[in-house]
Amino acid sequence: MSAGDCIFCRIVAGEIPARKVFEDAVCMAFLDVAPLAPGHCLVVPKGHFGSFDQMPADIAGAMLSRLPMLGKAVQSATGSTGFNVLLNNGKVAGQEVMHVHVHVIPRKEGDGLGYRWHPQSLDDATADSLRSRIADGLDG
Ligand code: 5GP
Ligand code: ZN
């Protein structure tokens, strides 16, 4: 997909309206158009990256460094007492817009949103093998 076809690139370029709450040199945050809760924001890099693992570490780091500030502002604006930070990476993980974005979803007691995944258990040999394959695959 070229940047010209990307909805979030077009928001960053100001070609499509969005309720922007924050912008700096590397990222922008705006309200999600179909929020899971009032105040649900998305943080996107200004450059087009389809997948989080393709992002240069400095840009990813600069973008993620804004989350505490944004989460605090979202909480105080919405009266929420917590928030979920969610990044769906890849179609299989639920990513629908193929421009990296981080969800900040404010939470309140009894909001009914829920959040429960089902933990699995691994035998020691599998866990050891996974640990070393992941550790060996790190390339900065
Ligand atoms: P994903 O499933 O890819 O993690 O989430 C994509 C999110 O982008 C959804 O929550 C959806 O509501 C939001 N979204 C999609 N199109 C637009 C848009 O044009 N404007 C805004 N503000 N949010 C959008
Ligand atoms: Zn894009």
Side-chain angles (χ1 to χ4, degrees):
M1 171 188 290
S2 79
D5 301 327
C6 171
I7 193 124
F8 288 172
C9 281
R10 298 190 69 197
I11 287 175
V12 168
E15 295 170 9
I16 292 178
R19 291 192 167 84
K20 182 169 73 181
V21 299
F22 173 77
E23 176 176 17
D24 65 14
V26 295
C27 67
M28 181 186 284
F30 49 85
L31 294 187
D32 193 305
V33 76
L36 295 178
H40 177 171
C41 288
L42 301 173
V43 186
V44 307
K46 285 186 163 177
H48 182 85
F49 299 97
S51 180
F52 187 59
D53 47 278
Q54 293 166 2
M55 286 185 75
D58 58 341
I59 299 179
M63 177 179 76
L64 296 180
S65 76
R66 298 312 195 174
L67 291 176
M69 175 186 73
L70 179 63
K72 194 169 157 189
V74 165
Q75 286 196 145
S76 110
T78 60
S80 60
T81 48
F83 55 92
N84 289 113
V85 172
L86 179 68
L87 195 164
N88 298 325
N89 199 56
K91 276 198 190 330
V92 74
Q95 183 178 2
E96 292 184 351
V97 177
M98 293 300 150
H99 177 130
V100 168
H101 52 282
V102 182
H103 297 259
V104 176
I105 306 161
R107 300 300 304 265
K108 289 180 181 171
E109 229 26 87
D111 61 17
L113 269 182
Y115 192 75
R116 189 68 62 202
W117 286 346
H118 303 293
Q120 303 179 18
S121 63
L122 294 179
D123 60 75
D124 282 347
T126 305
D128 287 344
S129 161
L130 282 166
R131 186 212 63 76
S132 59
R133 281 156 53 207
I134 292 168
D136 293 348
L138 299 175
D139 63 6

